[in-house]
Amino acid sequence: MGIEYFTQDTEVREIITKLKSGNLIVSDVLDEEGNQYVDLVQEGGGVLGIALLGYTYVLEQVGIRFFSLAGTSAGAINTILLASVDVISKPKTEEIIEYLVNQNLFDFVDGPFYVKNFLNAVRNKSTIFLKLLWGLWSQKYFFKHQGLNPGEEFRKWILEILKKNNINSTEDLGTLRRLPKSLSIRKGINKTIDGLEPKLKIIAAEITTETRVIFPEMNKLFWKEPENVSPADYVRASMSIPLFFHPFKVKTGNKNKEDWYNCVRYKGEPPEESVFVDGGVLSNFPIDVFHNRKIVPRLPTFGVKLGDDRHEVSLVKNIPKFLMAIFNSARHVLDYQFLLTNPDYEKLITKVETGDHNWLNFSMSDKDKLDLFKRGAKAAAEFLEEFNWEEYKKIREELAKPDLPE
């Protein structure tokens, strides 16, 4: 399977051809080649993140580039790759697809053989005997490491991709993500590009201090030399699916209580060791991170979700479902609250219907990968056909007006 398996699919090509035939206006920030710039926030969702590639591929093919980037878990993976493969003005998704097709996703399931056998037994709906046999064998390892898989194979994969693109540190990444020289404001718009600065925000959860962490801006709390930290560590922290992967642990590099309070409002003694799990535990869709309600934006913040949450009542008839309902409520509440108080953002969000695909199916077939990719591509096309930039700016103009006293 090569990259053409995705990019040359008939349905994908038809989607792009149709979009290119229209007059697509999505932003007031452009470059000399006519590319339009948007901010992008991507939701987490395990291997369902392949759908994110379909979404970003279509946007890039119709001349949209990604300025500031944010994401959690699977969204953080695509975020770091979009940020590191090339400069902001260049399309990246084709190269990211190439990295994907050359990687066996099951390699990321890097626990001992009995862990792999247990996960295969669960995935394949094997007999209760086999599930119990491999499950009991995996139990000691699981409790010792607080997860089934080290996650080191995934971290190595990201590290190698970053190294191929000359990204060895956070400082290198900052150099790559400089403002494009040819950036300008659309003709007829009475604004400038003054103050525009591309940002990167990867979300993780630090559980010893109950903190939603945003990397790289909070890295000074956790590393003594934050500028030398590989961005692969941020993504490894963000995708640490509880129980499935070991938590990502770092010897805390900053013990200054004042710094911790000023940054995250933590009042106690800083932890000896910071422990990170999947950012989706606290904020799976961090659509709030680029928001400024007081202004009319020069470029929009697009968001892409993997599925539509809260479309049916959660059943709580037994303990596992009861616990899962509590977990889902906790991990979604922050993002839902933002959307509730900022309903204009509904006009910026694409929801990719992911069907019956399992978010932890690391043995996914090529056919299923293509299906997810096409679902992302179709969702992107439907969104772009409906999105009205001028209408959205008018909504933001109304919201930006100061509240008058009663």
Side-chain angles (χ1 to χ4, degrees):
M1 179 182 63
I3 182 176
E4 297 80 9
Y5 183 70
F6 296 92
T7 60
Q8 297 305 312
D9 178 83
T10 302
E11 290 181 69
V12 174
R13 298 316 309 165
E14 289 176 351
I15 286 170
I16 293 168
T17 299
K18 183 180 178 182
L19 287 172
K20 284 184 174 179
S21 66
N23 182 27
L24 192 64
I25 299 177
V26 300
S27 173
D28 289 334
V29 180
L30 310 103
D31 62 26
E32 61 186 4
E33 295 181 358
N35 296 314
Q36 304 181 74
Y37 288 76
V38 303
D39 294 339
L40 179 64
V41 177
Q42 301 174 86
E43 186 179 44
V47 295
L48 301 181
I50 294 169
L52 299 173
L53 295 177
Y55 174 92
T56 57
Y57 178 71
V58 166
L59 266 62
E60 285 185 338
Q61 289 297 301
V62 297
I64 296 173
R65 299 290 181 264
F66 307 117
F67 194 72
S68 290
L69 291 157
T72 299
S73 196
I77 297 171
N78 203 31
T79 289
I80 199 64
L81 295 178
L82 287 170
S84 61
V85 164
D86 209 330
V87 295
I88 293 174
S89 60
K90 300 295 183 182
K92 328 284 185 63
T93 306
E94 283 195 1
E95 187 170 340
I96 296 172
I97 296 170
E98 190 169 352
Y99 291 128
L100 172 69
V101 300
N102 290 326
Q103 175 63 41
N104 180 356
L105 297 182
F106 197 72
D107 288 345
F108 298 152
V109 181
D110 57 350
F113 74 93
Y114 43 85
V115 166
K116 294 179 181 180
N117 287 343
F118 169 65
L119 293 173
N120 277 328
V122 172
R123 185 195 65 205
N124 297 330
K125 299 180 180 178
S126 300
T127 63
I128 292 177
F129 172 76
L130 283 177
K131 291 177 184 176
L132 284 174
L133 172 66
W134 296 117
L136 289 172
W137 200 344
S138 302
Q139 182 176 295
K140 183 178 179 180
Y141 180 87
F142 170 78
F143 281 106
K144 179 180 179 180
H145 298 284
Q146 302 166 322
L148 292 169
N149 297 285
E152 188 58 25
E153 288 302 313
F154 168 82
R155 182 175 175 275
K156 288 178 182 177
W157 180 65
I158 291 289
L159 269 173
E160 286 303 312
I161 294 174
L162 294 178
K163 286 180 180 178
K164 286 179 182 177
N165 291 278
N166 299 312
I167 304 296
N168 297 298
S169 67
T170 302
E171 187 175 34
D172 292 337
L173 188 60
T175 300
L176 183 68
R177 291 192 53 75
R178 287 174 175 166
L179 197 71
K181 292 181 179 180
S182 64
L183 215 61
S184 63
I185 294 293
R186 186 181 299 279
K187 189 175 181 179
I189 303 298
N190 187 25
K191 292 184 178 181
T192 70
I193 63 167
D194 292 350
L196 274 182
E197 179 184 352
K199 299 179 177 66
L200 177 70
K201 296 179 183 286
I202 292 173
I203 311 302
E206 202 290 307
I207 58 176
T208 70
T209 59
E210 303 170 12
T211 300
R212 181 178 86 154
V213 176
I214 301 176
F215 290 127
E217 65 187 65
M218 295 182 183
N219 63 7
K220 64 183 180 182
L221 294 180
F222 308 105
W223 285 275
K224 289 183 178 180
E225 298 180 343
E227 68 282 356
N228 293 329
V229 176
S230 170
D233 287 351
Y234 308 147
V235 185
R236 173 62 183 86
S238 180
M239 55 69 71
S240 303
I241 300 169
L243 310 184
F244 191 85
F245 286 113
H246 298 182
F248 185 66
K249 299 179 180 181
V250 175
K251 293 293 182 183
T252 305
N254 186 342
K255 297 296 184 63
N256 187 306
K257 291 178 64 174
E258 185 176 354
D259 286 345
W260 276 81
Y261 180 76
N262 290 337
C263 186
V264 299
R265 289 298 185 266
Y266 174 70
K267 299 178 181 179
E269 291 292 335
E272 291 296 321
E273 184 176 62
S274 298
V275 180
F276 300 95
V277 298
D278 195 306
V281 169
L282 297 177
S283 180
N284 203 40
F285 184 50
I287 193 66
D288 63 302
V289 293
F290 300 131
H291 183 61
N292 184 344
R293 189 182 180 91
K294 298 179 180 180
I295 65 169
V296 179
R298 289 164 284 186
L299 68 168
T301 298
F302 287 175
V304 54
K305 287 180 60 63
L306 296 170
D308 189 9
D309 305 314
R310 300 180 82 191
H311 57 278
E312 61 183 8
V313 173
S314 296
L315 299 177
V316 292
K317 294 182 179 180
N318 55 47
I319 291 298
K321 290 183 177 180
F322 175 70
L323 294 175
M324 182 57 69
I326 293 174
F327 175 72
N328 283 334
S329 297
R331 75 191 186 97
H332 286 144
V333 66
L334 180 63
D335 304 330
Y336 289 157
Q337 186 61 34
F338 175 81
L339 293 174
L340 181 64
T341 55
N342 298 275
D344 58 292
Y345 262 67
E346 290 289 343
K347 295 187 177 296
L348 302 172
I349 295 171
T350 302
K351 297 175 183 177
V352 182
E353 176 51 58
T354 55
D356 295 327
H357 296 292
N358 187 320
W359 69 294
L360 288 178
N361 182 12
F362 286 85
S363 296
M364 184 174 286
S365 68
D366 292 345
K367 181 181 177 182
D368 286 344
K369 291 176 185 177
L370 177 60
D371 182 60
L372 277 171
F373 184 85
K374 291 200 295 187
R375 286 172 180 268
K378 291 174 183 176
E382 291 170 3
F383 169 74
L384 291 175
E385 287 169 352
E386 293 293 325
F387 181 66
N388 187 318
W389 173 232
E390 293 302 324
E391 178 184 288
Y392 179 71
K393 286 195 294 182
K394 289 178 182 178
I395 293 172
R396 291 294 296 269
E397 284 175 4
E398 289 298 314
L399 291 173
K401 290 180 180 177
D403 295 329
L404 298 175
E406 297 181 0

